[in-house]
Amino acid sequence: MKLVSVETPEKSVCKMTFSATAEELEAASNAVYERTRATYTIKGFQKGEADRAQIEADRGEHTFWYDAINDLMDQDVPALYEAALKEHGFAPVDDPSYDLVSVKKDEGFVATATVALQPELKLTKTTGFTSQCVTPEVTDKEIDTVLERRRNYAAELVPHKGPAVKGNVVHMDFEGLLDGVAFKGGTAKDQSVQLGSGRMIPGFEDGILGHKAGDEFEINVTFPKNYPNKELAGKPVVFKIKLHDVCVRQLPALNSDFAKKMGKETMEEYRAFVKQQLFDGRHGGALNHAKDMILGQLADAAEGEIPSILVENAYQQQMQVIQQQLQMQRMSLNTYLSQIHETRESFTAKVRAAAEKNTRARMALLQIAQQENLLPTDEEIDKQLAERAEKTKKTVEEIKAGTDIAALRRNEGIRKAADWVIDHSTIEEKVESK
C-alpha cells in the first residue's frame, strides 16, 4: 500500500488517502481464502472442499475482499499514517476514522483516514473562575427514612405459632401439577416467600393464608393469560404445599443496642453519622457540579474553531450512553422524550451543544496542560503501565502493546489541567435550607 495524499479539508482536520494495487488486493484475498476456506459449505461440496473460484461463484467475487482490505490496512497503514503525521507536524487528538472510497478487482482499492488535529485556541482566561457549591441540608425526616430502611434490613425472623397472615415469611416445599402431572419449574424445596409481596402468581400466596407450620395442603390457582410460558398461560393447576414454618419479621428497636450493631455507642451518635453520610453524598455531587461549571466557563473563554469530527464523535458517544441507560430502564428514546415533553430535534440539539462545549473544554485543558508542563513524563507513563500490569497479572510489554500511549498522555494531561484550573479558581460553599 502507499500514501496517495494528505489534505486539510477544514482547519484542524487531516484527511489521508491510501491505495492498494490490484495485485496487493489479490494476494491478500488469496491469503484470506487459505485462512478461511475450511469454514465454507458450498452446495455439492463437503465443508472445506470447495476451491476459491467455486466459493466466489456461489457467494460473489467480493467474498474475500473486505477481510483482505482490513488485513492490508492493519499491516501497512499505521506506519504510513504515523510517518505522515510526523512529516507534516500534525498532532492528532482522537483516533482516525477510516472510510473505504472504492474497490475494484482490476484496480485495487482506495481508503481514507480522517483525524481531528489539536486546534489553536485563544484562551482569554484560564484562572480566577467562580462557582457555587450548593448542598441541600439533611432533614430529620430524611435521617428517619434511612434509619427505618436499615432497621428493616436488620429485621430477624421469629417463628410464629398461629395461622399465617399477610406480612409473614413462610418456608415451604411445593410441587405444581398440571392435569395431575408435575410441570417444569413448578417444584421447589425450602422456598422462602413473604406473604402479600406479590412475588408468586395470583392466588398462590392467598392460598397459604390461615395455614400453620407443619400443614400439608393443596391450593388451586390459574396462571395469568399473559404468562411467558405459553404451555402454562391461562391454565388451572394444583400446588401441593408442605409448610415448614411461619415467621414474623421482628424489627429491632432503635436504641443503643441497634447503634452498637452499627458501630456507634448511642443512637445520637448513629443519627449524627447517618446525617454526615447523607450530607457527604450530596456535597460530593454538588461539588462535582460546581467543578463542571468552572470548566464550562473555561470553554466559554476558549475562542477558536473546534474540529467538527471531534464534536460529532463526542455527540455520538453521548447519544450511545443515553440509549444504553434507557435500555437498562427498558425504555425507548421516543417514550422518554414523550415523558419529558421534548421533541427529538430539540433534545439532540441540546446533546450536541453539550458535546461541543465539553469538547471545547477538553481542548482548552490540553492546551493548558502543554503550557503549564502538566503532561505526564515517560517515567510517569511507565509507572502507570507497570501498575496496570500488576493489577491484571500481565507483563508490561503486553499492557504497552494494548495501550494508546499518546491518548493516555493526553487524557492524563487533561485531568491534571482540570485540577489545575479548579485549584486556581474559587468555589463558594453554601448549605441550602429546606
Side-chain angles (χ1 to χ4, degrees):
M1 290 193 67
K2 67 177 182 179
L3 175 66
V4 177
S5 64
V6 178
E7 306 169 274
T8 51
E10 64 178 273
K11 193 174 181 180
S12 300
V13 173
C14 171
K15 182 178 181 180
M16 301 184 194
T17 301
F18 304 91
S19 70
T21 64
E23 291 75 18
E24 288 173 319
L25 177 60
E26 171 60 19
S29 297
N30 199 59
V32 173
Y33 158 70
E34 294 291 351
R35 187 171 73 235
T36 63
R37 63 179 297 180
T39 65
Y40 285 91
T41 301
I42 304 300
K43 188 176 181 180
F45 297 90
Q46 293 291 329
K47 187 174 183 179
E49 285 189 353
D51 62 24
R52 180 179 172 185
Q54 290 158 340
I55 294 172
E56 289 179 336
D58 184 76
R59 304 292 178 89
E61 68 172 355
H62 61 276
T63 302
F64 304 104
W65 284 359
Y66 297 105
D67 283 341
I69 290 169
N70 286 333
D71 287 351
L72 285 170
M73 294 286 286
D74 290 343
Q75 173 184 313
D76 297 336
V77 166
L80 294 171
Y81 171 80
E82 292 296 336
L85 289 177
K86 186 175 182 181
E87 179 184 347
H88 291 271
F90 290 151
V93 288
D94 202 1
D95 293 331
S97 174
Y98 293 100
D99 290 296
L100 183 62
V101 177
S102 66
V103 54
K104 293 182 181 179
K105 186 174 183 178
D106 55 349
E107 295 180 9
F109 72 88
V110 176
T112 60
T114 306
V115 66
L117 306 177
Q118 184 176 349
E120 294 181 11
L121 301 176
K122 179 183 177 183
L123 304 181
T124 60
K125 187 176 181 180
T126 59
T127 60
F129 301 108
T130 61
S131 69
Q132 275 196 338
C133 174
V134 182
T135 308
E137 70 173 355
V138 178
T139 65
D140 287 339
K141 184 177 179 180
E142 289 168 334
I143 297 172
D144 291 340
T145 299
V146 172
L147 291 177
E148 192 61 27
R149 185 167 63 246
R150 294 182 183 180
R151 183 182 179 216
N152 271 279
Y153 289 154
E156 295 181 355
L157 294 179
V158 178
H160 175 60
K161 294 183 179 179
V165 298
K166 283 188 178 180
N168 288 161
V169 176
V170 298
H171 294 89
M172 60 185 165
D173 299 339
F174 62 78
E175 181 183 32
L177 305 174
L178 174 63
D179 297 328
V181 179
F183 57 85
K184 186 177 181 180
T187 300
K189 295 287 187 181
D190 198 27
Q191 187 78 12
S192 174
V193 175
Q194 182 171 2
L195 302 181
S197 65
R199 175 184 161 193
M200 310 299 282
I201 63 172
F204 188 99
E205 293 170 26
D206 289 343
I208 298 172
L209 298 176
H211 289 281
K212 298 180 180 180
D215 286 356
E216 296 187 30
F217 53 95
E218 295 181 354
I219 57 175
N220 296 288
V221 296
T222 300
F223 276 92
K225 291 182 179 179
N226 61 348
Y227 193 69
N229 186 336
K230 302 299 182 183
E231 295 180 0
L232 296 174
K235 299 289 182 64
V237 297
V238 175
F239 279 98
K240 292 183 177 181
I241 309 288
K242 182 177 181 179
L243 204 57
H244 295 305
D245 60 35
V246 177
C247 298
V248 176
R249 294 182 72 253
Q250 184 170 294
L251 299 174
L254 293 176
N255 54 24
S256 58
D257 289 337
F258 179 78
K260 287 175 181 176
K261 286 182 180 179
M262 298 294 139
K264 302 298 176 182
E265 288 298 315
T266 65
M267 275 307 298
E268 287 74 18
E269 287 182 21
Y270 189 57
R271 284 185 69 89
F273 173 74
V274 170
K275 182 177 183 178
Q276 190 63 49
Q277 279 186 316
L278 291 173
F279 181 83
D280 289 346
R282 290 179 183 176
H283 181 261
L287 186 58
N288 286 336
H289 179 70
K291 291 177 179 179
D292 287 341
M293 292 301 100
I294 287 176
L295 298 181
Q297 292 172 46
L298 172 66
D300 293 337
E303 299 176 356
E305 189 176 340
I306 299 294
S308 59
I309 59 172
L310 201 58
V311 175
E312 179 63 22
N313 288 344
Y315 165 75
Q316 293 294 344
Q317 289 171 6
Q318 186 56 40
M319 285 299 297
Q320 187 174 15
V321 169
I322 292 169
Q323 294 279 16
Q324 289 172 345
Q325 291 173 340
L326 290 175
Q327 285 176 6
M328 291 175 65
Q329 300 174 45
R330 298 187 177 183
M331 184 184 300
S332 69
L333 179 58
N334 287 337
T335 301
Y336 172 68
L337 292 176
S338 67
Q339 290 183 357
I340 63 175
H341 308 292
E342 189 158 8
T343 65
R344 181 180 287 264
E345 290 74 19
S346 64
F347 178 76
T348 54
K350 288 178 181 177
V351 175
R352 188 175 293 279
E356 195 279 338
K357 192 162 191 173
N358 290 339
T359 301
R360 185 172 293 276
R362 283 180 59 82
M363 292 301 97
L365 289 169
L366 179 58
Q367 197 163 310
I368 291 170
Q370 293 163 341
Q371 293 172 357
E372 301 297 328
N373 295 317
L374 298 174
L375 291 172
T377 63
D378 290 341
E379 290 74 16
E380 289 172 325
I381 292 291
D382 289 342
K383 183 180 178 182
Q384 279 199 32
L385 296 177
E387 289 172 352
R388 289 187 190 181
E390 186 175 353
K391 286 180 181 178
T392 58
K393 308 301 181 185
K394 294 181 179 179
T395 66
V396 173
E397 289 71 23
E398 288 174 320
I399 295 296
K400 187 173 289 188
T403 302
D404 184 338
I405 303 297
L408 176 61
R409 195 184 303 276
R410 283 196 307 272
N411 292 334
E412 274 298 294
I414 289 170
R415 183 188 64 78
K416 288 183 178 181
D419 291 340
W420 184 89
V421 170
I422 291 165
D423 288 343
H424 288 77
S425 299
T426 301
I427 297 177
E428 300 172 357
E429 297 275 0
K430 179 182 176 183
V431 177
E432 187 175 59
S433 299
K434 287 191 175 182

